[in-house]
Amino acid sequence: MKHSTIEFSIKSDKPEKLACDCVVVGVYESRKLSDAAQTIDAASSGYISNILKRGDMDGKLESTIMLHSLPGIQSERVLLVGLGKETEFTEKQYCKAVRASAKALANTGANVVGSFLAELPVKTMDMRWKVSHLVEVTLDASYKFNAIKRKSEDKPGTKKGIASLSINVPQASDTQAGTVGLADGLALAAGVSLTKDLGNLPPNVCTPTYLAEQAILLGKTYGLKIEVLERAALEKLGMGSFLAVAQGSEEPPKLIVLQHLKGNKNEKPVVLVGKGITFDTGGISIKPGAEMDEMKYDMCGAASVLGTFKTIAEMDLPLNVIGIIPTCENMPDGRAVRPGDVVTSMSGLTIEVLNTDAEGRLILCDALTYAERFEPSDVIDIATLTGACVIALGHHATGLFSNNDDLAKELLSAGEASLDRAWHMPMWEEYQPLLDSNFADMANIGGRAGGSITAACFLSRFAKKYDWAHLDIAGTAWKSGKEKGGTGRPVPLLTEFLVARAKQTNK
Ligand code: BES
Ligand code: MN
Ligand code: ZN
């Protein structure tokens, strides 16, 4: 399986005998050796203990030290990774240690690597979990966006970083669980990486047409049914709200529909709806110039739907899942929608557009109405919807809104389990009147206070016919600053949710 830049394998080798560029072993605080570290220490007449005694490393979580040419050890190097306190070593610490090891290896000449971190006991987590997360976190940490750069940063002949990684499990009997974990980890990483790539692409490349092409490509690769509805079809459906956003742009809008039907025939599908604004200038209610480039990420909801489809297709997940992606640009133009315009949505409800920058809800509402025809069990929309959500929750939690508390709970636990967390926000009736309009059934904004909540309230009016949840990923879909780039969130959360659903329905 070669889906990634790294070739993975499952082994159960002895750390001291493994002939490679580097073996990775853990050390707890304070200076307590893991099993593999102990074995290497014994075979090298106490080399590691000596280093620790000198005070160069004490096992602090995420610290690393690279050792070279240990006596009696086949590998050229040994990377010691700090694990923190043994009693506190749970899922999060495990993933942090894995990330630290990947980062430490990224700029070295160690290409062929053997990791012994999957041997570490992690509370209730089994070998499958440990291996899948080792794979996913390693690939996440090694991700580079190179598609556009003409100058490669790597000089020929000096390739840096991990090329192959053998994941060592303690016993041969763990190999099977390890192999399953490897496949899961690769599937998830492939989806996350696709989501990052699509987000990172510049908005002159990643247009609505490009997203449609990517969906068609996914369909060809995995045998999924893909439909792309063009403007004429959208007009016929009466998607006046979606089309109003698109009308200021030269780029033609698309409604992309993906179908992964691997569950029972009569089982209702889960529908994922992703916001696909490939660039959000704000329209006539134009945004200020600072950091406007980041509005290329306004299609990350769409990208996360495509990424999740890639992952579940790789897994061949036995579940019926439909993806719906409304995608267009939000541009100011002579033909653009104006503040004050009233548009008619596919549902028949009329909307007074008071701010053309609140465009995400205008394209999503028609997609939510379109979702009705699939008679879904649940609909989940994913959108970089509001700056207000970033103010409320910062960059760690995705905002979660739902008209069904059980569905909300399922998504919250999927977030916990995948370490891709969401936080449940209120959506009480009291907020609804903020959307009142004197000239239409509703306005598209509800004022500054509780901005992420009124946005969710707006969507809820179009999601009355099914159980529905809304994930506001404005704060979590990408990072700003020096590490600017897509995160691939919430593909891990969505995958976890769908995998759990598939288990439930196939019981
Ligand atoms: N795509 C933006 C939301 C956004 C802004 C996400 C900044 C991440 C960072 C969305 O279309 C938008 O512009 N929302 C407005 C809504 C407002 C006009 C009610 C916002 O959040 O300012
Ligand atoms: Mn906007
Ligand atoms: Zn937007």
Side-chain angles (χ1 to χ4, degrees), residues 183-197:
D184 283 353
L186 285 175
L188 180 52
V192 166
S193 170
L194 173 62
T195 301
K196 288 182 187 177
D197 281 345

Side-chain angles (χ1 to χ4, degrees), residues 296-318:
K296 72 174 183 176
Y297 289 110
D298 212 17
M299 35 54 72
C300 281
S304 76
V305 172
L306 292 171
T308 302
F309 268 73
K310 184 168 182 75
T311 296
I312 62 172
E314 280 285 337
M315 291 176 165
D316 205 21
L317 191 72

Side-chain angles (χ1 to χ4, degrees), residues 68-113:
H68 292 258
S69 314
L70 272 65
I73 305 301
Q74 291 281 310
S75 169
E76 286 178 2
R77 305 173 185 76
V78 173
L79 179 68
L80 298 185
V81 184
L83 307 174
K85 295 210 174 73
E86 191 174 10
T87 47
E88 289 169 11
F89 194 72
T90 59
E91 295 100 300
K92 226 183 265 167
Q93 286 73 13
Y94 174 78
C95 290
K96 280 189 173 168
V98 171
R99 188 174 297 277
S101 70
K103 293 262 187 233
L105 287 162
N107 290 311
T108 69
N111 306 135
V112 181
V113 179

Side-chain angles (χ1 to χ4, degrees), residues 1 43 71 78 106 119 139 160 163 264 267 328 350 396 425 430 433 437 451 456 461 471-472 501 505:
M1 265 181 287
V78 173
E119 290 187 358
L139 287 171
K160 296 261 166 89
N264 297 322
E267 218 166 74
C328 68
T350 57
H396 297 290
M425 300 280 282
E430 284 85 342
S437 159
R461 297 177 179 210
L471 296 171
D472 193 332
R501 268 298 168 93
T505 47

Side-chain angles (χ1 to χ4, degrees), residues 50 123 141 145 152 207 263 270 300 320 369 400 434 456:
N50 265 330
K123 270 218 170 144
F145 183 76
S152 168
T207 59
V270 175
C300 281
N320 296 330
T369 302
L400 165 64
L434 292 167

Side-chain angles (χ1 to χ4, degrees), residues 7-334:
E7 196 81 52
F8 289 92
S9 58
I10 305 293
K11 295 270 167 61
S12 53
D13 286 326
K14 296 196 164 67
E16 75 282 15
K17 298 241 167 74
L18 191 56
C20 62
D21 298 339
C22 185
V23 297
V24 180
V25 299
V27 179
Y28 296 103
E29 208 175 310
S30 35
R31 306 193 215 153
K32 183 179 179 251
L33 304 183
S34 64
D35 288 355
Q38 248 171 52
T39 311
I40 291 197
D41 195 46
S44 61
S45 347
Y47 197 98
I48 295 182
S49 323
N50 265 330
I51 297 268
L52 299 180
K53 261 186 226 140
R54 288 178 193 158
D56 291 0
M57 195 286 178
D58 52 11
K60 254 208 172 55
L61 184 61
E62 292 176 284
S63 63
T64 58
I65 184 168
M66 184 71 94
L67 310 176
H68 292 258
S69 314
L70 272 65
I73 305 301
Q74 291 281 310
S75 169
E76 286 178 2
R77 305 173 185 76
V78 173
L79 179 68
L80 298 185
V81 184
L83 307 174
K85 295 210 174 73
E86 191 174 10
T87 47
E88 289 169 11
F89 194 72
T90 59
E91 295 100 300
K92 226 183 265 167
Q93 286 73 13
Y94 174 78
C95 290
K96 280 189 173 168
V98 171
R99 188 174 297 277
S101 70
K103 293 262 187 233
L105 287 162
N107 290 311
T108 69
N111 306 135
V112 181
V113 179
S115 175
F116 288 82
L117 297 181
E119 290 187 358
L120 303 166
V122 184
K123 270 218 170 144
T124 53
M125 295 300 157
D126 57 9
M127 191 51 71
R128 177 177 170 165
W129 186 95
K130 286 191 284 186
V131 171
S132 73
H133 280 76
L134 197 150
V135 172
E136 188 211 335
V137 172
T138 302
L139 287 171
D140 188 61
S142 324
Y143 173 89
K144 273 193 198 143
F145 183 76
N146 284 329
I148 305 284
K149 284 192 185 172
R150 191 166 67 95
K151 272 198 285 186
S152 168
E153 279 161 19
D154 302 324
K155 289 202 196 82
T158 59
K159 190 141 179 27
K160 296 261 166 89
I162 313 171
S164 84
L165 183 65
S166 66
I167 300 169
N168 286 272
V169 296
Q171 268 132 36
S173 56
D174 294 316
T175 311
Q176 207 200 334
T179 306
V180 178
L182 171 54
D184 283 353
L186 285 175
L188 180 52
V192 166
S193 170
L194 173 62
T195 301
K196 288 182 187 177
D197 281 345
L198 292 172
N200 290 335
L201 279 169
N204 58 332
V205 172
C206 188
T207 59
T209 304
Y210 183 89
L211 285 179
E213 285 164 3
Q214 294 310 299
I216 290 166
L217 204 66
L218 266 185
K220 285 217 175 94
T221 311
Y222 297 104
L224 312 174
K225 182 176 170 200
I226 310 289
E227 284 169 282
V228 179
L229 280 64
E230 308 286 338
R231 195 193 301 269
L234 306 179
E235 279 166 1
K236 229 178 175 170
L237 285 164
M239 293 193 172
S241 185
F242 177 17
L243 287 166
V245 177
Q247 77 194 32
S249 167
E250 297 289 322
E251 293 291 340
K254 312 272 174 185
L255 187 86
I256 307 167
V257 183
L258 307 96
Q259 307 202 15
H260 170 103
L261 301 177
K262 301 286 174 74
N264 297 322
K265 253 220 167 97
N266 45 17
E267 218 166 74
K268 293 181 166 183
V270 175
V271 176
L272 303 179
V273 178
K275 173 179 173 183
I277 296 289
T278 59
F279 196 74
D280 182 10
T281 63
I284 298 299
S285 316
I286 199 161
K287 287 182 178 295
E291 281 143 39
M292 206 207 273
D293 67 290
E294 295 193 5
M295 283 298 114
K296 72 174 183 176
Y297 289 110
D298 212 17
M299 35 54 72
C300 281
S304 76
V305 172
L306 292 171
T308 302
F309 268 73
K310 184 168 182 75
T311 296
I312 62 172
E314 280 285 337
M315 291 176 165
D316 205 21
L317 191 72
L319 194 71
N320 296 330
V321 189
I322 307 273
I324 303 176
I325 296 174
T327 172
C328 68
E329 263 185 345
N330 187 21
M331 298 291 263
D333 179 78

